[in-house]
Amino acid sequence: MHPVAWAAYILGLLVGGAVIARGLAPWRRLCAWFTVLIVAAALVLAVRLGLAVAGAGAPLSAGVFSLGLVGASLTYYVDGLSALL
């Protein structure tokens, strides 16, 4: 898997985690621990992405999703500054 695809997983993990955490809201302690786990997993993926960009020495880009019939695609572009942020 291309390291830039991790950006899509980070986004999906955070959005999915927010939806699930909303469902866990009545159980405050469980919701808090679930949120901590999701954010920690996203942090690990973000650090791996940043290290991959730093190791490459150049910006990375990868197409994540493509609609061939329409001609639309989703491409992530990660350079040193965006990896840091």
Side-chain angles (χ1 to χ4, degrees):
M1 177 189 334
H2 199 276
V4 178
W6 295 337
Y9 288 125
I10 293 168
L11 181 62
L13 183 68
L14 291 174
V15 170
V19 169
I20 294 171
R22 177 66 179 121
L24 293 175
W27 302 280
R28 294 178 64 87
R29 190 172 291 265
L30 178 63
C31 182
W33 281 108
F34 177 77
T35 304
V36 167
L37 288 174
I38 292 295
V39 170
L43 176 65
V44 168
L45 287 174
V47 167
R48 287 184 67 187
L49 176 61
L51 290 175
V53 170
L60 299 175
S61 66
V64 178
F65 181 72
S66 177
L67 290 174
L69 296 175
V70 180
S73 66
L74 175 65
T75 302
Y76 282 98
Y77 178 80
V78 182
D79 60 357
L81 181 61
S82 62
L84 178 65
L85 296 178

